[in-house]
Amino acid sequence: MGEVNVVEMMKKHNAVIGGEGNGGVIYPELHYGRDALAGIALFLTHLAQSRKTCSGLATAIPLFYLEEQD
């Protein structure tokens, strides 16, 4: 979608977090730039606060599949 488009939509909808499939998180509380380290920090914070393992967190997330169509 493109970082600039994501940021534009985030501002339009007052989003608290956004990002793209490449792992870069856009977290407006820090800045409106794609930032993989911010995503890592948010994940580690959640991991510590939940007191779960990575696999424990993963089991709580529903599975989704991407299907390509011709």
Side-chain angles (χ1 to χ4, degrees):
M1 184 168 194
E3 181 178 348
V4 71
N5 297 319
V6 174
V7 168
E8 184 178 300
M9 292 302 286
M10 288 177 68
K11 288 180 177 180
K12 180 178 177 181
H13 295 283
N14 252 354
V16 295
I17 195 168
E20 295 185 278
N22 62 10
V25 170
I26 301 169
Y27 190 53
E29 194 170 316
L30 295 175
H31 57 84
Y32 275 106
R34 190 174 57 223
D35 189 341
L37 291 177
I40 293 167
L42 289 167
F43 174 76
L44 291 175
T45 299
H46 181 63
L47 189 66
Q49 290 176 345
S50 71
R51 297 183 176 265
K52 293 183 180 180
T53 62
C54 289
S55 58
L57 286 176
T59 59
I61 299 171
L63 293 176
F64 291 93
Y65 298 92
L66 177 65
E67 181 179 316
E68 291 188 36
Q69 298 189 8
D70 297 324

